[in-house]
C-alpha cells in the first residue's frame, strides 16, 4: 500500500500487490460465481513497460558518503527508509512540478464507498497505549473491462460480465503494531449475502439462499464485499484495496522478482485447456510480471487442484515478497521508485479513506513496523458442502469462529500475546446487583448452524445465581451475533453493564454503549454455544490447525505439485 509512495517495502503494500496478482485468482469451472480463471491466454504483456526508467541518479545508491567510504550498517539506516525519503522529496518538493506530480498520482487512484451494507460496523477498542487495530480487506477483481485485462484473463465469454471478487484476504494489523495476521477466504465459500445499495441507488436485497462469496463484487462494488465479510465475521473493516489483472502485472514488474518454490516441475495446463500456463522447474525460481500473475492464479497443478491450494501459493508469494523487499535490494534509485508509485496508484481502487498518496504512505508506515517473523498467513477453516453445493466450501463450525474471534479480540495468530489495555472503570459505579435489570437473548445462530437450544435461559440462570435477580429472557429476538456482547443505552448504566460482564467473565471490551437498546441487553453469541463459563481468550492460543498457518519467516515453504501437472 505504501507502494504508491515508493514504499513497497511494507507488508501491507506487498500484500496488495499480491492481491493484484491474485486478483483473478479464482474462478475456473463456469458454475454460478465461478469462471475459468486459468483458461485464458496469459502471454499478453498487459500494460507493462509503459513507464521508461530514467538514468540512475544519486551517488548514495551504492551506500557510500561523499568521502567515498562506506557508511557503517545500522538498523536505523535501512534502504527502505532511504527509499521512502527519496520519493517523499520527489513528490512533496516545494517546486510546482513536484506538486503537480503528487496531484497526478492522487488522480490515478480510483475510489469507492467503504461499505454498501445497511449495518453499522462496531468500533475498535483501544489498547493500553491508546492504539487501535487496523483491518484492511484486499480484493482481487477478475474484471475483463479493458483490453489489457481481457488479454490477461482470457475467457472471452466473460467479457463485460459483472466482476467477481476471486481473491479476498483480510489483513489485521494489531493495535500495538507488533504482529500482522492474514485470513484468506476461498472464493468458493458459500454464505448468505447482506443487503447492499450500490452508489447509483440500485438495491441488491439480502440473499435467501447460500451464494458464492466472490459474487459480492457484482452487487454494487467492493463495498458489498466489505459488508459480506462483516456479516460473516463481525470484524470491523477499516479500509479495502482492490486490484485487477493488469494491476498485478504492472506492480509485479515494478517491484522485481519474488522467489517461489515448487517441489517438482510444474506446467499448469491440461489437455482441455484448464490451467494458468505456469511452467517452472523444481526448486526456487524468481518470478515477476505475467509469470507472477500465473503463479497467483494457478489452481490446476497445486496440491489437489482446488482453491485451497491456490491460497497457500498466494501466502508463499506474499511472505517471500515481504522478505525480498525488506532486504532493500529492489528499489534503490528514484526512477524505480517513481515507476512503482505510478504502477501502484494506477492499479488500485480504494475506499475514500485512502484516497491520497499521503494516506497510503501513512498506512504503509504502520505496516512497516511489523517484523516478518510476526506475520501469520491463514485460510478460513472450511468444510466441503454436499448435494448441489458439493465441491464448494462452508466455514467450519468452531474453527472458523475461533479464527474470527481471535482477530476481533486482537489476539495474534502466532500465539504470542500482545499487550492488552485494562478497560477503565466507569465514572458511574454499578448499582447493587440485585437492582440491575438485564435482558438476555439467544444470538448463537450462524450461517451454518441454527441457534443452540436454551442458551439464553442458561446464561440468565448464571446471572441469577450471581445475585442478578431482575434478569429476564428475551425470546423474541434470535438474530445471530458472532460474539457475545452486552449493550447499555446511557453513561449512567455503564457501571451496571460492566458488573454483568464481570459476573460472567465476559471481557469488558465487549461491553458497548448503543442507542438500539433501552436497558442492559446481553446477547449470547456464537462464541458461547456450549454450557459452562464464557470461553475467554487468554491471548496465547494459536490459530486452528485447519487454517494452515504459514509464518512470514518460513523460507523453506515449497508448493506441492499435483502429479498430473508435472513435466
Amino acid at each position: 500500500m505504501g507502494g504508491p509512495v515508493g514504499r513497497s517495502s511494507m507488508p501491507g503494500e506487498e500484500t496488495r500487490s499480491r492481491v493484484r496478482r491474485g486478483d483473478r485468482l479464482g474462478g475456473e469451472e463456469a458454475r454460478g460465481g465461478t469462471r475459468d480463471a486459468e483458461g485464458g491466454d496469459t502471454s499478453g504483456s498487459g500494460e507493462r513497460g509503459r513507464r521508461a526508467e530514467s538514468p540512475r541518479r544519486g551517488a548514495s545508491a551504492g551506500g557510500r558518503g561523499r568521502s567515498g567510504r562506506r557508511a557503517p550498517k545500522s538498523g536505523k539506516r535501512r534502504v527502505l527508509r532511504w527509499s521512502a525519503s527519496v520519493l517523499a522529496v520527489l513528490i512533496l518538493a516545494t517546486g510546482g512540478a513536484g506538486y503537480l506530480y503528487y496531484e497526478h498520482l492522487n488522480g490515478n487512484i480510483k475510489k469507492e464507498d467503504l461499505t454498501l451494507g445497511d449495518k453499522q460496523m462496531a468500533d475498535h477498542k483501544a489498547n493500553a497505549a491508546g492504539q487501535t487495530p487496523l483491518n484492511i480487506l484486499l480484493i482481487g477483481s477478475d474484471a475483463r473491462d479493458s483490453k489489457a485485462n481481457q488479454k490477461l484473463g482470457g475467457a472471452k465469454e466473460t467479457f463485460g460480465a459483472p466482476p467477481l471478487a476471486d481473491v479476498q484476504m483480510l489483513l489485521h494489523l494489531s493495535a500495538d503494531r507488533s504482529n500482522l495476521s492474514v485470513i484468506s477466504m476461498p472464493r468458493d465459500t458459500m454464505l448468505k449475502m447482506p443487503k447492499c445499495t450500490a452508489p447509483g441507488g440500485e438495491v441488491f436485497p439480502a440473499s435467501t439462499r447460500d451464494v458464492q462469496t466472490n459474487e459480492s463484487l457484482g452487487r454494487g462494488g467492493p463495498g458489498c464485499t466489505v459488508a459480506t465479510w462483516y456479516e460473516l465475521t463481525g470484524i470491523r473493516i477499516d479500509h479495502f484495496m482492490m486490484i485487477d489483472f493488469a494491476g498485478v502485472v504492472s506492480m509485479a514488474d515494478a517491484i522485481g522478482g519474488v522467489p517461489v518454490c515448487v517441489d517438482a516441475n510444474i506446467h499448469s495446463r491440461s489437455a482441455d485447456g484448464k490451467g494458468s500456463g505456469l511452467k517452472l522447474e523444481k526448486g526456487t525460481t524468481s518470478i515477476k510480471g505475467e509469470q507472477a500473475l500465473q503463479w497467483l492464479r494457478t489452481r490446476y497443478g497445486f496440491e489437489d487442484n482446488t482453491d485451497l491450494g491456490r491460497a497457500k501459493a498466494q501466502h508463499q508469494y506474499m511472505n517471500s515478497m515481504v522478505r525480498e523487499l525488506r532486504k532493500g535490494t529492489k528499489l534503490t534509485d528514484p526512477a524505480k521508485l517513481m515507476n512503482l508509485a505510478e504502477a501502484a496508484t494506477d492499479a488500485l481502487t480504494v475506499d475514500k479513506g485512502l484516497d491520497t498518496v499521503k494516506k497510503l504512505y501513512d498506512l504503509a508506515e504502520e505496516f512497516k513496523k511489523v517484523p516478518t517473523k510476526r506475520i501469520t498467513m491463514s485460510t478460513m477453516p472450511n468444510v466441503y458442502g454436499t448435494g448441489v453445493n458439493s465441491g464448494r466450501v462452508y466455514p467450519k463450525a468452531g474453527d472458523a469462529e475461533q479464527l474470527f474471534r481471535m482477530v476481533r479480540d486482537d489476539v495474534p495468530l502466532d500465539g504470542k500475546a500482545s499487550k492488552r489495555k485494562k478497560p477503565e472503570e466507569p465514572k458511574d459505579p454499578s448499582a447493587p446487583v440485585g437492582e440491575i435489570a438485564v435482558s438476555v437473548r439467544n444470538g448463537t445462530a450462524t450461517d451454518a448452524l441454527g441457534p443452540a437450544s436454551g442458551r439464553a435461559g442458561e446464561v440468565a440462570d448464571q446471572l441469577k445465581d450471581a445475585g442478578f435477580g431482575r434478569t429476564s429472557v428475551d425470546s423474541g429476538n434470535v438474530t445471530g451475533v458472532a460474539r457475545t456482547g452486552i449493550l447499555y443505552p446511557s453513561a449512567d448504566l455503564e457501571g451496571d453493564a460492566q458488573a454483568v460482564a464481570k459476573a460472567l467473565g465476559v471481557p469488558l471490551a465487549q461491553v458497548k454503549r448503543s442507542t438500539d437498546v433501552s436497558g442492559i441487553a446481553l446477547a449470547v453469541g456464537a462464541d458461547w454455544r456450549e454450557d459452562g463459563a464464557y470461553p475467554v481468550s487468554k491471548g496465547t492460543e494459536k490459530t486452528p490447525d485447519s487454517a494452515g498457518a504459514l509464518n512470514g519467516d518460513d523460507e523453506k515453504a515449497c508448493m506441492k505439485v499435483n502429479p498430473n501437472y508435472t513435466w
Side-chain angles (χ1 to χ4, degrees), residues 346-401:
D346 192 52
L348 289 175
T349 297
V350 299
D351 67 276
K352 295 174 183 177
L354 291 177
D355 58 356
T356 67
V357 170
K358 174 64 166 59
K359 292 175 182 177
L360 290 169
Y361 182 95
D362 290 343
L363 179 64
E365 282 292 290
E366 296 300 300
F367 277 100
K368 190 172 116 179
K369 297 173 183 177
V370 179
T372 55
K373 65 182 179 181
R374 296 300 311 279
I375 297 174
T376 306
M377 305 281 173
S378 69
T379 301
M380 180 196 76
N382 56 83
V383 294
Y384 282 108
T386 58
V388 294
N389 288 325
S390 61
R392 310 297 174 85
V393 300
Y394 288 83
K396 183 177 182 180
D399 284 7
E401 175 51 33

Side-chain angles (χ1 to χ4, degrees), residues 51 57 87 90 101 333-343:
R51 298 169 291 281
R57 295 173 290 175
L87 189 60
L90 289 173
Y101 184 62
D333 70 77
K336 289 185 178 180
L337 290 171
M338 291 176 72
N339 281 347
L340 180 60
E342 283 284 352

Side-chain angles (χ1 to χ4, degrees), residues 465-537:
D465 291 344
F468 290 81
R470 297 182 61 193
T471 299
S472 61
V473 173
D474 176 6
S475 58
N477 183 357
V478 293
T479 303
V481 291
R483 180 171 56 167
T484 297
I486 301 169
L487 303 180
Y488 62 92
S490 55
D492 61 309
L493 291 179
E494 181 179 9
D496 294 356
Q498 288 197 4
V500 173
K502 291 175 181 177
L504 295 172
V506 175
L508 296 186
Q510 291 163 225
V511 178
K512 298 179 181 180
R513 184 170 176 173
S514 171
T515 57
D516 293 335
V517 296
S518 57
I520 297 175
L522 165 63
V524 183
D527 58 345
W528 198 7
R529 290 179 60 90
E530 304 295 331
D531 294 347
Y534 181 72
V536 180
S537 164

Side-chain angles (χ1 to χ4, degrees), residues 12 22 36 50 79 94 137 190 199 204 308 320 353 390 448-449 455 474 485:
D36 189 339
R50 291 179 300 171
V79 174
T94 54
L137 185 63
M190 303 299 291
F204 296 84
L308 303 180
S320 182
S390 61
L449 300 170
R455 292 300 298 131
D474 176 6

